[in-house]
Amino acid sequence: MTARSTSRTTLPDQVGTLRVSARRLIAGAERGGTGGDLHDVLDTAFGTRLLIGDAMGKGPEGARSAAAVLHAWRQLAVHERSLEVLAVRLHSLVTHSADPDRFVTAALLTFAPDGSAEMVCCGHPPPVLIRAGGAVSAVVPAPAPPLGLLDLGQGWCATQPVPASSWDRMLLHTDGVSEARDGDGDFYPLCERAAELAVRPLTTFTAALAADLVHHARGCLQDDATLLAVEHAPP
């Protein structure tokens, strides 16, 4: 499937205590859909909150599931203090939707003013943490099923801390990035390429990663791909 050219998303450059830059590619432009990836960053009374997710399926069905979760997130994230409860309420939305057999992988984070964060990861690829100088590591998430399948994990999920000292730039992504293959079938080396490109300012960092991803896949992404990078930047 030929990927659409990379596009910068409509998020502001700064939300709350985070500088933000996101890029999105939709595989199979001929389908005319908007894809199943979703992401958002909100300034709330509980801290700056971030969501990235990937709805099961392609085309209009995946896009419909993604839009429903994103709409509910925007309603709930500003009122629900507990990140675990917020995730469970999104799970309930998926299970009671018009497509109850679908699921949505998601990572939800709340960032405190000092740069520390807490995260709930529901079957989604974990964030990549980048330190000044290019050292890169990945968060090892507490295991939980995707939204829509949380009942397989006793219907609950756990938060885990992300210390401020562990990151200077955080890169979140959907599996369309990490599972993109080249002509030889090799996966995109995301951590390696993120480390090499980390010297760039945030906006050009995500643009360069997106272009590099398309080059790796020889212009033929098999799945939608979203890159969302943030830096701690108190107002």
Side-chain angles (χ1 to χ4, degrees):
M1 299 178 185
T2 302
R4 293 181 182 177
S5 58
T6 179
S7 62
R8 188 177 179 185
T9 67
T10 56
L11 290 174
D13 292 336
Q14 178 146 349
V15 180
T17 58
L18 297 178
R19 278 193 293 269
V20 179
S21 180
R23 298 277 168 170
R24 186 175 182 188
L25 297 110
I26 299 175
E30 71 279 0
R31 290 198 306 271
T34 56
D37 286 4
L38 60 140
H39 65 283
D40 197 27
V41 186
L42 296 172
D43 188 19
T44 77
F46 315 114
T48 306
R49 286 188 149 170
L50 181 154
L51 167 71
I52 187 166
D54 184 359
M56 171 189 175
K58 296 179 171 63
E61 296 82 5
R64 182 170 62 242
S65 297
V69 170
L70 188 60
H71 176 75
W73 153 263
R74 288 171 175 165
Q75 299 296 313
L76 295 170
V78 296
H79 297 294
E80 179 53 63
R81 177 181 296 276
S82 168
L83 205 58
E84 297 104 320
V85 174
L86 176 53
V88 170
R89 293 185 70 178
L90 293 176
H91 157 75
S92 181
L93 166 80
V94 175
T95 58
H96 292 89
S97 70
D99 302 296
D101 295 331
R102 294 186 176 274
F103 61 83
V104 180
T105 69
L108 300 79
L109 294 100
T110 301
F111 294 84
D114 66 357
S116 61
E118 62 175 7
M119 178 180 75
V120 168
C121 193
C122 297
H124 197 80
V128 176
L129 307 180
I130 305 170
R131 298 299 310 275
V136 172
S137 61
V139 177
V140 179
L147 306 177
L149 298 177
L150 275 182
D151 292 339
L152 299 177
Q154 290 75 52
W156 195 249
C157 50
T159 58
Q160 63 190 103
V162 183
S165 60
S166 67
W167 67 285
D168 294 294
R169 179 177 294 176
M170 186 181 297
L171 174 64
L172 300 104
H173 61 95
T174 57
D175 62 9
V177 177
S178 53
E179 296 181 2
R181 296 176 183 263
D182 64 11
D184 296 323
D186 294 327
F187 290 118
Y188 181 63
L190 177 60
C191 288
E192 175 185 327
R193 297 301 291 139
E196 292 171 358
L197 296 170
V199 295
R200 299 177 182 235
L202 192 67
T203 299
T204 54
F205 169 72
T206 54
L209 265 181
D212 189 61
L213 174 66
V214 172
H215 176 75
H216 175 86
R218 300 183 182 178
C220 296
L221 291 174
Q222 297 302 306
D223 196 3
D224 303 333
T226 298
L227 295 157
L228 173 58
V230 298
E231 293 177 344
H232 180 230

